[in-house]
Amino acid sequence: MSHSSSHRHQPVVRPEDVLPEGIDSTAINGMTVRKGSVAAFVANALRLDELTEGTPEYAALVAQMRELAPALRAIGLNDVFRPHSPAVERILAEAA
């Protein structure tokens, strides 16, 4: 399902329109996006402020967020939301 064409023909997009029951990923704008990608990124972004930069835990969190960032860009998240955290904004910008 192409995200860019689907919103032109469909007035309302429901979660099951993007990922039908039993399907764990889909291609959106040429990028494979797994179910849970947005939720995982947000959970990690919220936790980022609790950690100390330079620690292994912080580095692991940032690495996971960098891995997820291209999928978020593919679905258009950056077109409608802006992060409050400068660190999260940098991670998303690096995915460009």
Side-chain angles (χ1 to χ4, degrees):
M1 170 180 169
S2 171
H3 180 270
S4 59
S5 65
S6 68
H7 75 275
R8 281 187 249 140
H9 300 102
Q10 199 169 356
V12 175
V13 178
R14 301 167 302 168
E16 58 270 24
D17 296 330
V18 178
L19 280 175
E21 187 67 35
I23 303 296
D24 292 330
S25 66
T26 189
I28 298 176
N29 295 326
M31 170 74 59
T32 298
V33 180
R34 286 186 42 84
K35 183 185 333 184
S37 295
V38 173
F41 187 92
V42 169
N44 289 329
L46 291 170
R47 184 144 186 266
L48 194 63
D49 287 339
E50 300 170 4
L51 300 175
T52 303
E53 193 170 351
T55 64
E57 295 84 4
Y58 187 94
L61 209 69
V62 169
Q64 180 59 48
M65 291 172 70
R66 284 184 178 139
E67 186 176 318
L68 293 168
L72 299 184
R73 180 170 295 288
I75 66 170
L77 189 78
N78 297 1
D79 297 330
V80 294
F81 295 108
R82 298 284 178 245
H84 289 276
S85 163
V88 172
E89 190 168 20
R90 279 192 305 276
I91 291 166
L92 288 171
E94 291 167 359

